[in-house]
Amino acid sequence: MTCYVTLELKVDYLERNLKAATIEIKNIPTSNPENITTLTGIVQKLGSIINQPVPAPDIKNIFRLRGKKETVGTVVVEFSTTSLKEQFIQSTKNYNKQHTGNRLNTSHLQATGPRKPIFVSEALTAATKRLHYLTREFIKNSEYEQCWTANGKVYIREKEGLPSRLIKSEEDLLKLRREKDK
């Protein structure tokens, strides 16, 4: 392993630890004015909808990233604890499973304009985002059916009920591809 690769792994590890209690929320409509207080209020409202209360002191930091033209930017929320982040994500999943016909969307926030789905996910490092993308592309052409992230790591599973596999690098995907070709 070269020094460059070792350094990249260390940076990714540090960045993953920095984002351990952080989520990203996509498609939150902008408000005018928009500041920490209004964004906190939106997250608290989402929390009440999904039955996961979020007291204001539990939001360590919150801001909106710039979006591409004609799209709203992602809202980044850093919670005070990793367990609160996990509970918020799990509550969102549970809500969407229970309300398949009316999954979490902008109408729940009484937003004007077209109804758009609201997506909640953990914040990933750039390297993990790339690996997650490559893994999703891999499963499209393989016998694997599921791909997800948890705690900043990428996992795949061949079928429901079978054990999951941790994907640490692109090399892991290449090994799986070679196994499939045999």
Side-chain angles (χ1 to χ4, degrees), residues 12 16 85-86 122-125 128 149-155:
D12 189 62
R16 188 176 17 210
K85 173 201 89 166
E86 293 297 326
E122 64 180 324
L124 301 174
T125 66
T128 306
T149 63
N151 300 316
K153 297 177 183 174
V154 179
Y155 296 89

Side-chain angles (χ1 to χ4, degrees), residues 1-46:
M1 193 178 296
T2 67
C3 291
Y4 179 72
V5 172
T6 304
L7 185 58
E8 266 186 357
L9 290 172
K10 284 182 181 180
V11 168
D12 189 62
Y13 174 79
L14 292 170
E15 192 178 346
R16 188 176 17 210
N17 284 334
L18 284 173
K19 293 183 175 200
T22 306
I23 63 169
E24 294 180 353
I25 308 174
K26 293 180 174 47
N27 289 339
I28 296 289
T30 56
S31 56
N32 194 9
E34 185 167 274
N35 53 39
I36 290 175
T37 305
T38 58
L39 288 173
T40 298
I42 291 169
V43 171
Q44 288 177 310
K45 188 169 187 174
L46 281 177

Side-chain angles (χ1 to χ4, degrees), residues 125-142:
T125 66
T128 306
K129 281 182 185 178
R130 175 173 166 67
L131 186 59
H132 187 222
Y133 168 77
L134 292 172
T135 305
R136 289 191 319 269
E137 291 298 311
F138 169 79
I139 67 169
K140 287 179 183 176
N141 303 313
S142 73

Side-chain angles (χ1 to χ4, degrees), residues 17-167:
N17 284 334
L18 284 173
K19 293 183 175 200
T22 306
I23 63 169
E24 294 180 353
I25 308 174
K26 293 180 174 47
N27 289 339
I28 296 289
T30 56
S31 56
N32 194 9
E34 185 167 274
N35 53 39
I36 290 175
T37 305
T38 58
L39 288 173
T40 298
I42 291 169
V43 171
Q44 288 177 310
K45 188 169 187 174
L46 281 177
S48 67
I49 292 166
I50 62 172
N51 200 24
Q52 178 60 54
V54 181
D58 283 341
I59 296 177
K60 192 172 174 185
N61 194 10
I62 187 168
F63 57 92
R64 185 186 295 272
L65 298 173
R66 277 195 197 157
K68 296 176 184 171
K69 279 187 177 179
E70 300 175 21
T71 62
V72 293
T74 300
V75 174
V76 177
V77 184
E78 183 182 0
F79 290 113
S80 58
T81 64
T82 305
S83 62
L84 182 55
K85 173 201 89 166
E86 293 297 326
Q87 290 167 0
F88 196 92
I89 290 171
Q90 190 58 50
S91 294
T92 303
K93 289 177 183 176
N94 292 342
Y95 180 88
N96 285 335
K97 283 180 186 174
Q98 294 168 0
H99 301 88
T100 54
N102 192 23
R103 302 180 97 180
L104 195 60
N105 63 72
T106 53
S107 70
H108 290 105
L109 299 173
Q110 284 82 39
T112 57
R115 182 174 127 165
K116 292 183 179 179
I118 294 176
F119 299 106
V120 177
S121 62
E122 64 180 324
L124 301 174
T125 66
T128 306
K129 281 182 185 178
R130 175 173 166 67
L131 186 59
H132 187 222
Y133 168 77
L134 292 172
T135 305
R136 289 191 319 269
E137 291 298 311
F138 169 79
I139 67 169
K140 287 179 183 176
N141 303 313
S142 73
E143 68 279 0
Y144 287 86
E145 295 178 353
Q146 300 172 342
C147 171
W148 71 95
T149 63
N151 300 316
K153 297 177 183 174
V154 179
Y155 296 89
I156 61 171
R157 178 178 291 136
E158 201 166 345
K159 291 187 181 359
E160 189 67 41
L162 293 178
S164 61
R165 293 181 80 155
L166 173 63
I167 304 298

